[in-house]
Amino acid sequence: MPTSASTNRPEDLIARLKFSEGDAKLKALREIKNQIIGNRTKKLSYIKLGAVPTIAEVLATADDSDASLLVQSAAAIGSFACGVDAGVKAVLDAGAFPHLFRILSNPDEKVVDAGARSLRMIFQSKLAPKYHFLEEKKLEFLLSLLNNENENVTELGASIITHSCETSDEQKLLCDAGVLRRLVSLLEGSLNQRDASLDSLATVLKNNLDVISKFVALDNGRALSIITDFTKERSPRTRLLACVCLIIIGNASPCHFQGVGIKTKLILILVELLEEPGQVGEEAPFALASLIADKEDVQKLAFEVDTVDKLCNLLHKGPVQAKRFHGILLALAELCSKLESCRSRFLSLQVLNLVIDALSHENAEVQAVACLCIRNISRSVKNLSAGRFMNETIITPLLHLLHDSSTSIQVAALGAISNIVIDFASRKSVFIQCGGVRQLIQLTKSMDSTLRLNAVWALRNLMFHADNSHKEGIILELTPSGLVSLIYDSELSIQEQSLALVRNLVDGRISSIEHVFAEDGIIMNAVARQLQSCSRSEVCIQGMYVLSNVASGNELHKEAVMNQLFQSQAGEGTQSFVMKFLQDSDGQLRTAAVWCIVNLTHPESPGASARIVKLRSAGIVSQIKSMVNDPCLDAKFRVRTVLEQLATA
Amino acid sequence: MNRLVMPRAAGFSPSRADLYFTGSAGIYAVNFPVSLGPLAEGIAEKSGCRAGKPETVRNPFRPPGERRLSVEPVSSSRFSELAFISFVAPEKTKRKTSTDWVTLIGEIRLICGMPVRVVESSAPSQVSGASSGHVLPPACTLLSAGQAFSGTQNVSNLQKDEAWRVNVRIQGCDLDHGYLCGTMEALNVPLAETPVVTFWEGEIVDTKNYTFFTGKWEATPEHDVRHWSKFPSFSPLLSQVEIDGGKSLDLSSYPYIFMRWKEQYFVNVGIDCGLTIAGFYYVCFSCSDGSISGFYYDPNSSPFQKLELKSTNEGRSGFSFSSYQLQ
């Protein structure tokens, strides 16, 4: 079809590509490639026009000796896949993948380069198919890539590893095949090889202590020294990758990470990298978070070099792109996870409002990490006491997230709420007025046990030292039978939190004890039933404190507790669970049981003597006497209190 | 297995790291082959004790093998015996150093003497934290979050005889960090119309996070000793505290908990209410009956104002406990 030779409209180019031969074909191909490089919009429009299958066809059918055609088609395909997920998908759908591998064995070096580069672009995307190392032929092929003389090909080998190595079996397999040594030698190659190798090493070493030990032992630790030196390199990307590797090694194997010097250096390097544009700046805070996570000593070091300030300043500079925001908030959350000094510093820098705003961010991951941040900051009892978090600006968006469709966001919001409701002054009404109680109770009925657990946890903390009117309101909404089904929940952790909730319910004014006797005492019965059958100490401890708290009430309350303690004994000869707990190996459980006895034998109550007689005949008094030198100090002193009370009775 | 991290010799200065352990006098077999990092030949080892004369044993470190060392720990406190073995890297290292540290992994075994309990080594500049075997003070239910105490603070001086009623409530308790906090409410304060509530933070003297020496708030060690000595339960500890602030004491089974409480701010009145919170309290809590006594220290106020509190059960016949759990 006659066309003007100067037309370069996409449709025309594609047509020319399809139907012409020789030079014209090559020219059209080259033109397309030049148009799409670095141009996302053009890539997408060409994809829509079906360019990719056409180009893939060219690649598939071109002769092995037709170097230019192979190079241009491979390059064009690679460009489509570069940074554009739709492009990767189109390339894979068009079946170009195996052909790109095919041309890696072409005698012409330029063809090999083009194929390798394009494959690397594809493997940078999650959409690339997984490379199955566990298949022998595939492993052999991979090793041949790594051992190839061509730089692009070795980088391809490394990027395949980075993409596809996931399980510890795969890590071990690669390690056993000598991949580590080869990657280490690539560290001393070109800049690109070095970076590709660092990325790869991080993947192979991650969380695998065996592989890490072998790596560290290579050449007496030379590899480790090389990577440590890379933390001072000029290239920001290299510095970041080197830090990531060291952090992975240090997290799995702390003995390679001791000494204040190396940790402080890593913190300073990463903080500096936070300011870098592009991917490096986006990934740096995640590396920082991983460095400090769960390690109080490293968090302290980070605090001492003003990391909190530096992170907060980045937030103050203006709106931040989503991924970077996510990373910075995550790093702040980790920093504030254990140290009050970090939390105080954070609060003094006036960024809490930005974090609260992030609760309503459009990106779900930002929302979740903002919840995490608030949860960790609100571990500050000092600020909880000052009512710093008990206001509508925080509570409203958190409650809103409880309606989110994603369970993980709901759980994250519940985490923050659990801490905030501890509030010590009578400011809990703010939370209740916002409708928080209803939502929490709703979630206690969820099918998802994590949601149930966190909702009950929040209610337990809300119940702590709550006003009588608030307690009434919560129980009215939850209902005794609702509470009972939580006590009988299939998850032990939920049983524990529910019993702790009851414990808090019956503390405070004596009148609140009545709640457990509502509806024929179903709550009280449920508590006792759980104590009889449960074997997990954390659950039993909370249950015993319920009984103990009730036993600190009036005569009727004490008698009710006595009934529960000795109900199962009637004619069966089995001992009361209290006896079992007094002999338990867990000191806290023994202490809780003794407290119950302390309260039952409290001298000011008229019925004390009768109860003592009963306790004596059940063998409990002699058990208590035998605990006079209990190794747990708390239990020991409570035992002595009982004995003093018995003496005065 | 014991791990010892040794800072690499920089330039021409020797580096040294100590491996601490508790144990008694005896002969130990020390087997520390080099596990990684290039290190020049020959590490001199000295066994030592805090106050004694070091005994130097020069042995080449390669090939690795067992060396016998005679170690005489010195008892620096009645509660623990501490010894150390010193590893010294020689002055000159020929190879270019690129890491800051070298890890040695090996073993210390008693050959004859009393059984030894070996603890994790501490690298010379390690950040403070749990390492050298210090134990926390006992957890006590009467000193936990939610617990209330009431009593009096005696503010008598030469002019008048006065006592305020005081209620204290614990709000937070973090034994790992030796921290607690709460509120203090003073009633019938002449200058104030309503009860005055303050928020305070406490330091628990656990010899890990805090010692008996305050080191701030204008309290010198002499002030410290003078105030702590007013508590009868302190006298068994006095001699050790005078030596080293009580750093090597093991208070984990001691039936009293010593603290400093510092009020941080007024909760319900302004700072111009005529009252001061510039000082702090030396506090002693009795684990057996939950009673608290304290002495207020403020260089600008009457000395030794005494705080005496008892655990209250707020109208119940017995004790009731709530609890919260932070996520």
Side-chain angles (χ1 to χ4, degrees):
Chain A
M1 187 156 166
T3 41
S4 161
S6 60
T7 307
N8 278 341
R9 275 175 45 229
E11 297 87 340
D12 296 338
L13 285 172
I14 297 174
R16 234 180 293 156
L17 188 57
K18 243 187 192 150
F19 300 117
S20 47
E21 289 298 331
D23 258 1
K25 195 183 194 114
L26 188 59
K27 260 177 132 171
L29 187 50
R30 203 178 257 139
E31 186 55 41
I32 294 176
K33 185 203 79 177
N34 290 341
Q35 282 189 13
I36 61 172
I37 283 187
N39 192 323
R40 190 194 161 85
T41 325
K42 274 261 156 65
K43 287 181 199 181
L44 290 169
S45 65
Y46 269 101
I47 290 169
K48 261 213 188 94
L49 292 170
V52 178
T54 310
I55 300 176
E57 177 76 21
V58 171
L59 178 66
T61 53
D63 197 81
D64 278 345
S65 56
D66 200 340
S68 324
L69 210 55
L70 287 173
V71 169
Q72 294 302 322
S73 54
I77 287 172
S79 188
F80 274 115
C82 183
V84 178
D85 270 351
V88 176
K89 189 171 184 310
V91 162
L92 293 171
D93 288 345
F97 201 56
H99 292 286
L100 289 170
F101 273 106
R102 188 196 92 226
I103 65 174
L104 290 181
S105 42
N106 194 288
D108 189 325
E109 203 64 17
K110 290 207 198 72
V111 172
V112 173
D113 279 341
R117 273 196 225 108
S118 299
L119 281 169
R120 256 179 52 221
M121 312 274 195
I122 296 174
F123 274 109
Q124 267 160 22
S125 161
K126 286 197 191 69
L127 295 176
K130 184 176 163 76
Y131 192 89
H132 295 285
F133 307 106
L134 298 170
E135 288 170 36
E136 199 183 313
K137 278 227 168 77
K138 287 243 158 123
L139 181 61
E140 260 175 50
F141 184 67
L142 176 67
L143 292 174
S144 73
L145 292 180
L146 281 177
N147 290 321
N148 199 296
E149 281 177 4
N150 181 309
E151 215 180 274
N152 281 303
V153 173
T154 53
E155 281 167 47
L156 169 62
S159 55
I160 290 177
I161 294 175
T162 309
H163 174 270
S164 294
C165 178
E166 284 163 338
T167 68
S168 53
D169 286 338
E170 286 166 343
Q171 290 172 322
K172 183 179 186 323
L173 183 74
L174 290 173
C175 174
D176 290 343
V179 160
L180 287 183
R181 202 170 272 285
R182 181 62 185 146
L183 288 175
V184 168
S185 65
L186 286 179
L187 287 177
E188 297 176 296
S190 72
L191 263 64
N192 285 336
Q193 279 178 318
R194 177 185 69 191
D195 286 354
S197 170
L198 282 170
D199 224 344
S200 224
L201 278 169
T203 315
V204 179
L205 295 173
K206 193 164 187 175
N207 294 330
N208 193 320
L209 196 52
D210 284 333
V211 176
I212 288 175
S213 317
K214 294 207 176 83
F215 175 78
V216 162
L218 281 179
D219 294 336
N220 271 324
R222 201 172 126 262
L224 199 51
S225 322
I226 295 174
I227 296 185
T228 310
D229 284 342
F230 282 157
T231 58
K232 303 170 202 149
E233 273 293 313
R234 207 182 308 164
S235 156
R237 178 139 191 88
T238 308
R239 272 183 273 144
L240 177 65
L241 291 170
C243 288
V244 168
C245 272
L246 289 177
I247 292 169
I248 283 174
I249 293 171
N251 279 353
S253 176
C255 66
H256 296 112
F257 224 40
Q258 276 180 327
V260 173
I262 182 74
K263 292 177 209 166
T264 313
K265 278 206 190 101
L266 284 172
I267 295 168
L268 290 170
I269 294 168
L270 288 170
V271 165
E272 202 194 355
L273 288 171
L274 290 172
E275 312 243 10
E276 287 288 325
Q279 212 186 358
V280 173
E282 279 169 27
E283 288 173 16
F286 290 96
L288 181 60
S290 142
L291 171 61
I292 61 183
D294 298 323
K295 298 181 216 76
E296 193 174 314
D297 55 337
V298 189
Q299 288 163 15
K300 189 148 192 274
L301 289 173
F303 174 71
E304 280 161 13
V305 296
D306 298 331
T307 308
V308 181
D309 294 60
K310 290 175 184 163
L311 287 165
C312 291
N313 284 341
L314 288 170
L315 294 181
H316 275 308
K317 279 193 185 148
V320 183
Q321 178 258 351
K323 176 128 198 233
R324 205 178 271 253
F325 200 11
H326 178 186
I328 294 173
L329 287 179
L330 183 63
L332 280 169
E334 294 291 357
L335 264 178
C336 296
S337 60
K338 294 178 194 281
L339 292 176
E340 186 61 25
S341 48
C342 291
R343 295 177 203 136
S344 295
R345 190 89 197 115
F346 173 92
L347 287 169
S348 69
L349 292 169
Q350 318 277 351
V351 290
L352 183 61
N353 286 329
L354 294 173
V355 180
I356 295 172
D357 288 341
L359 291 172
S360 325
H361 200 273
E362 51 183 13
N363 181 307
E365 283 172 325
V366 171
Q367 290 177 324
V369 76
C371 290
L372 187 69
C373 215
I374 293 178
R375 182 197 77 174
N376 289 358
I377 300 281
S378 59
R379 288 175 178 170
S380 164
V381 180
K382 180 174 182 177
N383 284 286
L384 282 173
S385 178
R388 189 69 181 262
F389 310 105
M390 202 41 126
N391 54 60
E392 282 178 31
T393 41
I394 300 187
I395 294 173
T396 311
L398 281 173
L399 288 178
H400 185 76
L401 289 176
L402 290 184
H403 288 304
D404 199 283
S405 51
S406 149
T407 312
S408 54
I409 295 225
Q410 290 174 301
V411 171
L414 282 171
I417 290 171
S418 293
N419 290 351
I420 290 176
V421 295
I422 291 173
D423 188 273
F424 297 100
S426 31
R427 277 172 284 239
K428 296 196 193 219
S429 38
V430 175
F431 180 80
I432 292 169
Q433 273 153 23
C434 287
V437 174
R438 181 155 298 173
Q439 291 196 258
L440 288 179
I441 292 175
Q442 193 56 37
L443 288 168
T444 63
K445 300 175 189 154
S446 164
M447 295 280 283
D448 184 312
S449 63
T450 317
L451 280 178
R452 284 200 312 278
L453 171 63
N454 282 282
V456 182
W457 195 328
L459 282 169
R460 170 227 183 138
N461 284 349
L462 181 61
M463 193 68 88
F464 174 82
H465 282 234
D467 278 354
N468 260 23
S469 55
H470 296 152
K471 286 184 178 177
E472 299 269 347
I474 294 170
I475 285 298
L476 198 62
E477 187 81 34
L478 181 57
T479 77
S481 42
L483 183 48
V484 165
S485 56
L486 287 170
I487 293 172
Y488 285 130
D489 195 285
S490 52
E491 298 291 319
L492 287 170
S493 45
I494 296 177
Q495 290 175 16
E496 181 191 345
Q497 294 294 339
S498 312
L499 288 170
L501 194 161
V502 180
R503 168 184 176 178
N504 290 350
L505 174 63
V506 297
D507 183 43
R509 258 195 254 168
I510 290 198
S511 53
S512 30
I513 298 181
E514 294 308 320
H515 288 121
V516 295
F517 293 110
E519 294 185 21
D520 279 336
I522 52 169
I523 297 176
M524 189 68 166
N525 292 338
V527 173
R529 196 92 53 83
Q530 282 298 60
L531 284 172
Q532 274 159 28
S533 57
C534 186
S535 49
R536 170 83 80 86
S537 10
E538 290 89 351
V539 176
C540 300
I541 290 170
Q542 298 302 335
M544 267 327 291
Y545 274 115
V546 171
L547 292 187
S548 175
N549 288 359
V550 171
S552 69
N554 61 32
E555 271 306 300
L556 291 171
H557 300 145
K558 292 176 201 276
E559 284 307 313
V561 172
M562 289 294 285
N563 285 339
Q564 295 293 359
L565 291 187
F566 296 106
Q567 218 167 46
S568 62
Q569 266 202 314
E572 278 168 25
T574 51
Q575 57 178 213
S576 166
F577 53 79
V578 142
M579 193 63 159
K580 198 174 64 165
F581 295 155
L582 287 170
Q583 296 165 338
D584 196 275
S585 55
D586 185 328
Q588 280 185 53
L589 182 50
R590 294 198 301 276
T591 308
V594 182
W595 270 121
C596 193
I597 309 296
V598 166
N599 291 342
L600 288 172
T601 57
H602 198 264
E604 280 152 28
S605 346
S609 330
R611 285 191 286 277
I612 292 172
V613 168
K614 192 129 188 238
L615 289 169
R616 204 184 292 273
S617 68
I620 289 182
V621 171
S622 37
Q623 168 62 31
I624 295 249
K625 284 190 176 155
S626 75
M627 293 165 70
V628 118
N629 284 311
D630 195 292
C632 170
L633 213 68
D634 215 0
K636 179 170 84 171
F637 284 126
R638 295 318 123 224
V639 158
R640 294 187 186 183
T641 309
V642 173
L643 296 176
E644 277 158 24
Q645 289 178 175
L646 291 179
T648 58
Chain B
M1 288 301 253
N2 313 105
R3 287 200 182 95
L4 171 70
V5 170
M6 165 177 279
R8 184 183 294 285
F12 291 98
S13 50
S15 73
R16 166 197 149 144
D18 302 338
L19 179 67
Y20 280 86
F21 60 97
T22 56
S24 58
I27 310 284
Y28 290 85
V30 177
N31 191 347
F32 264 73
V34 174
S35 79
L36 66 77
L39 198 67
E41 303 275 305
I43 293 183
E45 303 156 332
K46 310 185 269 193
S47 67
C49 44
R50 285 253 168 81
K53 292 187 285 280
E55 187 192 305
T56 307
V57 178
R58 277 196 186 278
N59 276 322
F61 223 45
R62 282 187 195 162
E66 228 174 64
R67 275 153 299 289
R68 301 282 165 100
L69 273 167
S70 159
V71 177
E72 286 245 334
V74 76
S75 180
S76 56
S77 91
R78 209 174 323 181
F79 298 95
S80 60
E81 299 192 310
L82 211 56
F84 68 89
I85 292 180
S86 224
F87 293 86
V88 177
E91 279 94 63
K92 296 178 198 178
T93 53
K94 294 201 178 113
R95 250 173 281 189
K96 186 174 89 140
T97 61
S98 50
T99 49
D100 291 332
W101 35 262
V102 140
T103 303
L104 308 176
I105 299 178
E107 206 178 335
I108 296 179
R109 223 174 62 243
L110 184 72
I111 298 181
C112 60
M114 279 167 56
V116 67
R117 177 167 64 87
V118 187
V119 302
E120 275 292 323
S121 73
S122 59
S125 48
Q126 187 154 347
V127 187
S128 79
S131 54
S132 33
H134 281 134
V135 199
L136 303 171
C140 188
T141 20
L142 290 172
L143 191 71
S144 53
Q147 285 312 291
F149 302 83
S150 69
T152 56
Q153 176 160 338
N154 171 311
V155 294
S156 305
N157 55 31
L158 291 169
Q159 280 98 26
K160 52 184 161 70
D161 215 348
E162 209 179 297
W164 302 341
R165 280 190 357 257
V166 173
N167 294 324
V168 164
R169 189 178 289 283
I170 313 271
Q171 289 178 343
C173 193
D174 176 1
L175 291 181
D176 278 339
H177 294 105
Y179 173 86
L180 74 163
C181 65
T183 51
M184 196 182 280
E185 181 189 28
L187 298 113
N188 64 277
V189 178
L191 296 158
E193 296 147 359
T194 63
V196 176
V197 182
T198 55
F199 175 83
W200 55 267
E201 287 181 305
E203 301 178 341
I204 300 176
V205 178
D206 53 16
T207 68
K208 179 188 85 159
N209 292 293
Y210 301 102
T211 67
F212 284 99
F213 291 151
T214 309
K216 53 186 178 243
W217 302 329
E218 295 180 73
T220 64
E222 288 76 38
H223 289 128
D224 290 331
V225 170
R226 204 178 313 144
H227 282 83
W228 294 124
S229 299
K230 294 186 84 64
F231 301 116
S233 51
F234 178 74
S235 27
L237 313 174
L238 174 61
S239 53
Q240 193 52 47
V241 171
E242 281 180 322
I243 296 175
D244 65 359
K247 266 202 296 271
S248 37
L249 286 170
D250 177 0
L251 296 171
S252 60
S253 329
Y254 207 62
Y256 296 90
I257 299 179
F258 297 98
M259 302 173 267
R260 281 179 288 268
W261 288 1
K262 174 98 177 90
E263 291 162 291
Q264 298 295 332
Y265 55 81
F266 289 101
V267 171
N268 65 341
V269 297
I271 48 173
D272 45 5
C273 63
L275 300 169
T276 175
I277 55 171
F280 68 97
Y281 292 87
Y282 291 89
V283 178
C284 176
F285 168 84
S286 159
C287 302
S288 63
D289 64 1
S291 63
I292 292 179
S293 53
F295 290 98
Y296 188 66
Y297 172 73
D298 176 2
N300 302 315
S301 301
S302 339
F304 302 121
Q305 291 181 39
K306 187 167 189 191
L307 182 69
E308 281 178 288
L309 306 169
K310 283 197 168 20
S311 193
T312 55
N313 33 28
E314 302 177 281
R316 294 197 173 209
S317 53
F319 286 87
S320 179
F321 302 96
S322 335
S323 80
Y324 65 80
Q325 190 179 6
L326 286 167
Q327 277 225 31

